[in-house]
Amino acid sequence: MDVSGPSLEVRLADGRVLESRRIGGVLNRLIGIPDDYLSRAEEADRDYVEQEWRALLVSALLGLSRRAIPVVEPPHPYALSGRWRSPVEWSLLAARAGLAVRPWEWRDGLPDPGGPDRSSASVLVIGDRVLADGRLGAEIPAACRRLAALAGRATLQVELGTDEAGTAVFAGAGALPDFRSRGEAAVEALAAVLGR
Amino acid sequence: MILLCGIRSEAPMAMVARELDRLGAPVRWFDQRRSLETRLCLEVDGRGVHGILADTDGELSLDTVQAVYVRTMDDRLLPEVEGLRADADERLRVRSLHDRLMAWLEATPARVVNRGSTQASNASKPYQAQLIVEAGFAIPDTLVSNDPASVLEFRARHGRIVYKSMSGIRSIVKVLTDLDVERLDRIRWCPVQFQEYVEGVDVRVHTVGQEVFAARVTSWAVDYRYGSRFGAPDPRIEAIALDATLADRCRHLAALLGLEFAGIDLRVRPDGEVVVFEVNPSPAFSFYEERAGLPIAAAVAHRLAST
């Protein structure tokens, strides 16, 4: 990093070189530093090595996004795959986006929640595209898209449950969407987000 | 009600509590040292998050909390659980308690000084450095690398260079010496952050909302915070007045990072250029307040009480 801004060069073991000026887009699916790599460090150094690699990856990906390179998703210092949010935050954002949210509790003695309800359907938001089952109608996919926008994410997997009346209710959101579930449609949407 | 989250005896927490007491502001503690006796229940619905905090001081509705000062330590290192197995019941309970607290802090409409999400930038110094540049400040030329040849080339270009961690761990600044160069090959296992050595005068700036407190630091140590480890005498810390433009730029930087309260480490080069090293989102301000007589704790207390 200097007055001209950040730049990145990664020299791979096979001799190939990745340079920031040649990178056209990034699909970020990082979740952590692999255990087998960390296990090579002495135990006293392991936490340090992990935090240093995380700090480097976060800054490198931010640097790419600041060079107008699409990075999906930009990392956050606390989570490589993008800003981590608790189930509380997701519930409040989902309500603001227009999704039904059932009241729920988080207290001692209860398992930590993954979300307030069990999922029965998934909606995938990728950029402007919302990939969902047709039976959900138009309003719920639109609300899911608003939720992704409120969370500042280009991609999001929204889990939906069903209440006693059969209404779809918010059941959680995933920062690492399973793109495979929507096949070619997801690939095309991703390519559009990445500018391809 | 003002909630103080941390350890009562820790100097900055104790100083803010004392100032709040002077103001007559109602205070309640989330005392980490009482984590095992503390209960926190959250209720979430479409309109917001509500909760009850309960400990030996009784029950508190979190809806009554208008402001929070957060200076928590890593709960894994609390003496009450540190020696326990990772899967010990007490340790898991304390972790879950802190998860709930942090979730509430992110979601509450109360003023929080500072939220975890805004404190995060300091976990990656080169990440934060890019935000510092966006705020209009200069940063030292920086190289992060695990390639010894690149480091030697960087050193040849700048002459004197320093190295420090990128994360918050082992964050002590040291000059790269010839002795270090002999073991430079070790960086292949873990990249290291190197920076040009910046000549000039160290200044520590604390921003509390719109208030700005600055102190000049005089020390011959490369990293005055840890100078005593290397035989340096205590640094001299004196209150100074920043010029209005620089004070404004510091306020802008803290605001850009979303920080109600920040400690900005900068150095003024001999030619007057200001170089920012980092922004501490949970400043241990007591060190500066005690030596320079800056009323930082009072400003934090006012910020909390005026919500």
Side-chain angles (χ1 to χ4, degrees):
Chain A
M1 288 183 293
D2 57 23
V3 287
S4 63
S7 60
L8 171 74
E9 181 183 293
V10 181
R11 199 171 292 275
L12 301 173
D14 64 6
R16 283 178 300 159
V17 177
L18 298 173
E19 291 176 282
S20 42
R21 63 192 171 89
R22 293 174 183 273
I23 295 173
V26 179
L27 178 59
N28 171 27
R29 301 281 290 178
L30 292 170
I31 51 172
I33 312 304
D35 284 343
D36 64 340
Y37 178 82
L38 293 175
S39 65
R40 296 181 207 168
E42 287 180 25
E43 197 168 341
D45 289 335
R46 227 165 268 168
D47 196 28
Y48 171 76
V49 172
E50 181 181 17
Q51 294 305 318
E52 289 294 288
W53 271 105
R54 292 177 76 95
L56 170 59
L57 291 167
V58 164
S59 67
L61 290 171
L62 176 76
L64 291 174
S65 68
R66 291 305 194 264
R67 294 175 71 98
I69 297 167
V71 176
V72 180
E73 298 287 335
H76 183 265
Y78 280 174
L80 289 171
S81 57
R83 191 189 150 185
W84 182 87
R85 292 175 194 277
S86 75
V88 174
E89 272 194 278
W90 279 120
S91 289
L92 297 182
L93 281 179
R96 277 178 60 196
L99 291 168
V101 175
R102 281 209 295 205
W104 59 281
E105 276 190 341
W106 191 5
R107 62 162 69 207
D108 298 280
L110 292 180
D112 289 350
D117 273 282
R118 186 168 294 175
S119 173
S120 58
S122 287
V123 175
L124 206 53
V125 180
I126 305 176
D128 292 337
R129 303 273 299 276
V130 184
L131 307 175
D133 289 343
R135 64 189 165 89
L136 289 173
E139 180 48 35
I140 287 174
C144 292
R145 195 167 135 190
R146 286 194 293 274
L147 175 57
L150 284 170
R153 298 189 60 91
T155 62
L156 187 67
Q157 182 164 328
V158 183
E159 303 297 339
L160 300 166
T162 311
D163 69 9
E164 295 76 7
T167 307
V169 292
F170 176 73
L176 275 179
D178 181 1
F179 298 123
R180 297 169 304 180
S181 64
R182 299 290 169 180
E184 286 298 316
V187 174
E188 284 168 19
L190 271 175
V193 172
L194 292 167
R196 297 285 159 181
Chain B
M1 180 63 71
I2 294 163
L3 185 63
L4 301 178
C5 301
I7 295 175
R8 287 176 198 241
S9 56
E10 203 242 350
M13 293 298 298
M15 289 164 82
V16 169
R18 198 160 51 236
E19 293 297 333
L20 286 167
D21 190 46
R22 277 193 193 131
L23 293 174
V27 165
R28 179 66 187 264
W29 283 87
F30 175 94
D31 187 345
Q32 286 188 285
R33 297 297 304 272
R34 292 195 197 168
S35 290
L36 287 169
E37 296 88 52
T38 302
R39 301 285 173 267
L40 179 61
C41 171
L42 299 180
E43 292 178 10
V44 186
D45 60 30
R47 293 180 303 282
V49 56
H50 314 281
I52 300 288
L53 174 70
D55 60 15
T56 48
D57 290 337
E59 285 197 354
L60 171 74
S61 163
L62 294 177
D63 290 354
T64 64
V65 174
Q66 293 166 300
V68 191
Y69 179 45
V70 187
R71 220 182 118 72
T72 47
M73 66 173 283
D74 184 340
D75 61 83
R76 294 171 303 176
L77 304 178
L78 287 168
E80 288 73 20
V81 296
E82 190 183 8
L84 302 176
R85 288 193 334 266
D87 61 351
D89 242 19
E90 292 91 337
R91 192 185 267 275
L92 296 176
R93 253 173 45 211
V94 169
R95 182 85 283 274
S96 172
L97 174 74
H98 282 78
D99 280 345
R100 274 171 277 150
L101 175 71
M102 294 306 152
W104 176 75
L105 289 171
E106 289 298 322
T108 175
R111 184 191 296 280
V112 179
V113 181
N114 289 306
R115 284 190 167 83
S117 55
T118 62
Q119 294 196 32
S121 72
N122 205 37
S124 170
K125 296 183 198 310
Y127 172 94
Q128 190 190 61
Q130 294 174 64
L131 303 179
I132 290 169
V133 169
E134 285 179 23
F137 281 101
I139 57 167
D141 277 5
T142 300
L143 172 73
V144 178
S145 184
N146 62 351
D147 174 26
S150 301
V151 178
L152 293 175
E153 192 274 326
F154 187 73
R155 190 193 194 205
R157 185 153 28 108
H158 289 288
R160 198 176 187 202
I161 63 173
V162 299
Y163 62 98
K164 61 182 183 183
S165 68
M166 288 175 275
S167 66
I169 302 181
R170 302 182 192 175
S171 179
I172 302 176
V173 186
K174 292 180 182 164
V175 170
L176 185 78
T177 64
D178 290 340
L179 216 56
D180 293 322
V181 169
E182 284 177 22
R183 59 188 183 118
L184 198 54
D185 210 43
R186 295 187 193 178
I187 70 169
R188 291 186 190 283
W189 293 101
C190 183
V192 173
Q193 176 174 229
F194 299 88
Q195 291 185 325
E196 64 167 317
Y197 180 81
V198 177
E199 296 284 355
V201 176
D202 279 313
V203 178
R204 169 69 168 229
V205 179
H206 289 94
T207 61
V208 185
Q210 290 301 302
E211 295 207 60
V212 177
F213 305 95
R216 179 173 47 222
V217 182
T218 309
S219 168
W220 58 254
V222 173
D223 188 336
Y224 69 83
R225 300 168 303 170
Y226 302 97
S228 61
R229 292 190 191 182
F230 306 99
D234 249 13
R236 200 167 78 225
I237 315 275
E238 306 155 280
I240 58 167
L242 287 189
D243 72 66
T245 309
L246 180 53
D248 266 348
R249 293 172 68 198
C250 289
R251 287 186 194 100
H252 173 62
L253 173 57
L256 186 84
L257 296 173
L259 297 171
E260 294 266 349
F261 180 26
I264 303 172
D265 287 319
L266 55 87
R267 193 168 285 172
V268 183
R269 290 189 199 263
D271 64 3
E273 186 187 32
V274 175
V275 177
V276 171
F277 294 120
E278 66 176 282
V279 182
N280 191 319
S282 181
F285 65 87
S286 47
F287 179 81
Y288 303 91
E289 173 151 342
E290 285 164 354
R291 286 163 176 77
L294 293 167
I296 302 168
V300 173
H302 274 283
R303 184 89 180 147
L304 295 166
S306 63
T307 305

